[in-house]
Amino acid sequence: MSPLTSVNNRWALLDVTLSPQKLRATLLEIENQFGRVREERWELRTLDLDVILFGDLILDSPELQIPHPRMRERAFV
């Protein structure tokens, strides 16, 4: 499947007390509450919540990479 070509992007600047991992878990929970189902990469989706930056933190784990590894490819960043 080819990458998405039409997406309605929005962003938000948040001030949180959560850890990056807890923030990601919370965002995934919100996606699930709105019916997001992850079956295939690059599939059409109604909601996609990402952590782009988290202060000046640099994190590279299997579950979460900060800064977001493709942030420079995103026109809205």
Side-chain angles (χ1 to χ4, degrees):
M1 182 177 268
S2 63
L4 298 174
T5 57
S6 178
V7 181
N8 187 358
N9 290 307
R10 298 289 183 262
W11 63 270
L13 177 63
L14 305 175
D15 185 7
V16 298
T17 58
L18 302 172
S19 69
Q21 295 82 358
K22 180 62 178 167
L23 175 59
R24 180 180 181 274
T26 301
L27 295 176
L28 291 175
E29 205 172 290
I30 293 167
E31 287 182 351
N32 289 337
Q33 290 173 359
F34 279 85
R36 167 82 189 263
V37 177
R38 294 173 182 267
E39 294 179 354
E40 188 175 327
R41 190 173 190 167
W42 305 118
E43 69 187 348
L44 291 174
R45 51 203 178 257
T46 57
L47 185 60
D48 183 26
L49 302 174
D50 292 319
V51 177
I52 305 296
L53 295 169
F54 198 94
D56 59 359
L57 178 70
I58 296 173
L59 178 67
D60 188 11
S61 72
E63 299 81 29
L64 183 59
Q65 295 82 43
I66 299 173
H68 191 287
R70 290 174 300 287
M71 75 177 196
R72 287 190 167 90
E73 299 168 17
R74 310 273 169 92
F76 63 93
V77 174

